[in-house]
Amino acid sequence: KAQPVATFRHMAELFQVDAISYPARQMSRDASITEELARLRASEARLIAFAEGARRLLGVTDPKALVDEVLALAQQSVAADGYAVWRREDDTWRVAAASGMDASFAGLELPTEHNPPLTGPTVTEDVTTTPMLEARREAYAKSGVRSLVAVPLEIRGRPGGSIVYYHRERHRPQPIELKIAEALGHLASAAISSAELHVEQQQLAGENARLLE
């Protein structure tokens, strides 16, 4: 007769433990759901910002002003601690625009022979252990950079620059981040190519007009 009583007590104890742990589990699930909803809302907001910025970007015809617009749209579309738009000029890579980086970063110049152009989006989770970035480590250290995501810019069919997102902590981007960053790379490439062609056409028209005078 004592066995049913012991079994009942054991079941009661299990129920009591489960009753105590249930709120904790529920709170954990609620927190996970809330976090996921917040992430989705943030992604939605960035996609909306990207769409609005894209329309604005395609309306800019001044190449210098366009670089600033590309930088601003990168900041609105992809979360990072620092941003830079790099451009290739002859045999040198130069920072055309930057934000969130050390003041000396804007004057950084790198020879193309030691810094080949990107062939696609590149994720570097630790810049201190990547041989290809050795020439930039001092500059990264000044800005506290640990990770980066770089997206190439193909200007008029040639490697002509990149948009780089810098992170001060080790970072592995989410797929949506990479998709937005890559889309911005394609958009910026087309806009810069169009703007540079527009400037050349204006210069040519001016030269022709002078010849006819």
Side-chain angles (χ1 to χ4, degrees):
K1 293 183 179 179
Q3 186 175 359
V5 175
T7 302
F8 178 78
R9 287 176 179 173
H10 178 65
M11 293 178 61
E13 289 172 359
L14 289 176
F15 178 79
Q16 185 177 17
V17 170
D18 188 64
I20 293 172
S21 62
Y22 176 78
R25 293 201 304 272
Q26 185 63 38
M27 289 177 63
S28 177
R29 283 196 293 268
D30 290 347
S32 297
I33 292 171
T34 301
E35 184 179 344
E36 180 64 14
L37 286 173
R39 189 184 67 79
L40 289 173
R41 290 192 185 101
S43 296
E44 181 183 13
R46 293 186 182 281
L47 285 171
I48 292 172
F50 177 80
E52 293 174 349
R55 288 193 292 269
R56 184 175 65 251
L57 198 67
L58 293 174
V60 180
T61 56
D62 178 4
K64 292 183 178 179
L66 187 55
V67 168
D68 292 330
E69 288 289 346
V70 169
L71 183 70
L73 185 52
Q75 292 175 278
Q76 294 170 11
S77 305
V78 179
D81 298 309
Y83 304 80
V85 178
W86 288 79
R87 289 300 313 273
R88 181 177 182 172
E89 298 177 10
D90 298 324
D91 295 328
T92 304
W93 290 102
R94 292 186 173 88
V95 177
S99 176
M101 304 295 283
D102 182 79
S104 63
F105 191 83
L108 193 60
E109 296 184 358
L110 299 168
T112 57
E113 59 180 327
H114 300 304
N115 298 271
L118 303 174
T119 57
T122 300
V123 176
T124 303
E125 292 188 36
D126 190 350
V127 299
T128 64
T129 60
T130 305
M132 187 179 71
L133 300 176
E134 186 174 359
R136 313 183 190 192
R137 284 179 190 166
E138 183 178 351
Y140 290 158
K142 288 181 180 179
S143 295
V145 173
R146 179 69 183 277
S147 299
L148 65 80
V149 178
V151 177
L153 297 177
E154 188 172 291
I155 310 301
R156 299 167 71 176
R158 300 186 302 273
S162 62
I163 305 173
V164 187
Y165 305 84
Y166 301 99
H167 299 268
R168 294 193 172 90
E169 295 182 0
R170 196 180 185 96
H171 178 73
R172 176 178 295 179
Q174 297 293 323
I176 186 65
E177 290 181 63
L178 283 178
K179 287 184 181 297
I180 294 175
E182 190 171 7
L184 177 54
H186 293 312
L187 178 66
S189 296
I192 293 172
S193 296
S194 178
E196 290 186 352
L197 183 60
H198 176 74
V199 170
E200 288 183 8
Q201 289 174 339
Q202 283 188 322
Q203 291 173 344
L204 183 60
E207 291 173 3
N208 291 336
R210 285 192 294 273
L211 290 174
L212 295 174
E213 290 178 354

